Amino acid sequence: MAVTWAEVAARTPLYLNMGGKGHCDPHAPYERFVSVDLAPGRGWRVTHDLRQPLPLDDASVDGIHTEDCFAYFTPNELTALFAECHRVLKPGGRLRVAVPDFEHPRHKTRVKNGKDTAHPEHHNLPTKHNMEALLQASPFTDWTFYHYWKDGTFIQEPIDYTLGWVKRTPDNDPRNHSIRPKGYAKNLLFLLSRGFFTSESERAAWLEGQPYFITSLVFDCIKSKKA
């Protein structure tokens, strides 16, 4: 059974996992988190449409985590959602976001066409550039990007997972690594599709078995302690 918002509000400390499905307390490594999701389920899981305001007081949430979820909203909906996250976070609270990174070279055609044909339910195509544009229009003033693509190179800065465990990073998901034969085969097909006209960094990524197929855009937003 899903819990109620009254039960959620009474929880101390309070951490939310937006679109978290079953990734919530008491399941490791999400013991701290209450999942906010459209689908009901067991554990600390509350049913809610994130396009609607959260029934929580201002500055009542210690931290927010979300993985994959933000790709399912339009840019306008994300603008409202960033503002809502900022509203409910306590000063100094952290919003951790992980989404597919459409700056990845293999998404070039999808970005050009403005849609994800493989996942039409994605209503925006996240990149560092467009996420920064949304953040600049939000109440947040402090953010840090850890994983992202830049000029054909995958940037991978260290992430402190004690502040929110991200499942789909190369650190935690072996599917990211192309060292397996299946991974190399996929990379080879990608290179063939490009006619082997690839950048030096793309070729190096394939040869070194770097994460290539499900890399994520990962960033933190911190609510100012002066807020």
Side-chain angles (χ1 to χ4, degrees):
M1 295 292 292
V3 298
T4 67
W5 276 112
E7 292 173 302
V8 173
R11 191 175 167 108
T12 304
L14 175 56
Y15 291 88
L16 304 179
N17 186 2
M18 291 185 164
K21 298 183 179 179
H23 296 155
C24 59
D25 197 3
H27 307 296
Y30 302 96
E31 291 92 346
R32 295 185 300 172
F33 291 91
V34 176
S35 176
V36 184
D37 201 277
L38 278 174
R42 294 182 178 180
W44 278 91
R45 189 166 169 177
V46 64
T47 305
H48 186 75
D49 184 345
L50 288 168
R51 292 171 295 184
Q52 303 300 319
L54 297 170
L56 294 171
D57 292 339
D58 295 357
S60 60
V61 176
D62 293 89
I64 301 173
H65 180 85
T66 180
E67 187 167 356
D68 292 330
C69 175
F70 277 25
Y72 293 88
F73 297 92
T74 67
N76 285 340
E77 289 169 343
L78 272 183
T79 297
L81 192 48
F82 276 123
E84 185 66 357
C85 289
H86 186 274
R87 179 186 71 81
V88 299
L89 278 173
K90 295 178 180 178
R94 180 184 306 268
L95 164 64
R96 170 158 290 180
V97 179
V99 284
D101 188 351
F102 282 83
E103 194 67 34
H104 192 305
R106 76 186 184 99
H107 291 312
K108 185 176 181 180
T109 300
R110 292 170 183 170
V111 171
K112 181 179 178 180
N113 294 333
K115 59 182 179 180
D116 184 353
T117 52
H119 299 281
E121 66 274 17
H122 287 166
H123 295 305
N124 75 89
L125 306 180
T127 65
K128 184 174 184 287
H129 175 75
N130 59 35
M131 287 295 105
E132 281 187 314
L134 290 174
L135 289 172
Q136 287 166 359
S138 79
F140 286 103
T141 58
D142 181 10
W143 55 81
T144 301
F145 283 80
Y146 301 104
H147 289 188
Y148 56 95
W149 282 83
K150 181 179 180 181
D151 301 326
T153 298
F154 180 56
I155 307 300
Q156 187 176 346
E157 301 293 345
I159 297 173
D160 182 352
Y161 292 108
T162 66
L163 302 174
W165 193 78
V166 183
K167 180 180 179 181
R168 58 178 287 159
T169 65
D171 298 317
N172 297 324
D173 190 339
R175 293 178 302 163
N176 283 279
H177 298 286
S178 298
I179 195 168
R180 298 180 308 163
K182 184 178 180 181
Y184 273 117
K186 286 184 176 180
N187 280 351
L188 181 60
L189 288 173
F190 169 70
L191 294 175
L192 284 170
S193 73
R194 295 282 294 273
F196 283 89
F197 291 104
T198 57
S199 69
E200 183 178 346
S201 62
E202 288 174 330
R203 290 192 296 274
W206 178 69
L207 292 171
E208 295 172 12
Q210 290 180 7
Y212 217 58
F213 279 90
I214 58 169
T215 55
S216 301
L217 185 69
V218 182
F219 59 96
D220 283 349
C221 307
I222 308 296
K223 182 172 180 177
S224 171
K225 291 184 178 180
K226 296 179 182 180

